[in-house]
Amino acid sequence: LSPPFGPAAFYLKGVAPPGISLKDIFVSLLPFIAIQLVVLFGLLFFPDLAMWLV
């Protein structure tokens, strides 16, 4: 998946307020990962979608 979430999450933890835990950061990344997986499987099962907008 792109961008790499692990290093970006740790960088964000370094600049986040003390009340925000690393767990909160990773949980907030889950919707973005889910959207990427939906698009990936959509392109896998319907490859014509890749050329639809071109």
Side-chain angles (χ1 to χ4, degrees):
L1 295 174
S2 176
F5 293 111
F10 285 108
Y11 300 148
L12 185 59
K13 175 61 179 154
V15 298
I20 297 179
S21 69
L22 195 56
K23 180 183 176 186
D24 294 332
I25 293 171
F26 276 111
V27 168
S28 67
L29 292 173
L30 290 178
F32 185 70
I33 294 171
I35 290 169
Q36 284 190 337
L37 289 174
V38 167
V39 170
L40 176 67
F41 285 116
L43 290 173
L44 183 65
F45 292 115
F46 305 103
D48 291 338
L49 288 174
M51 296 299 289
W52 179 56
L53 292 175
V54 176

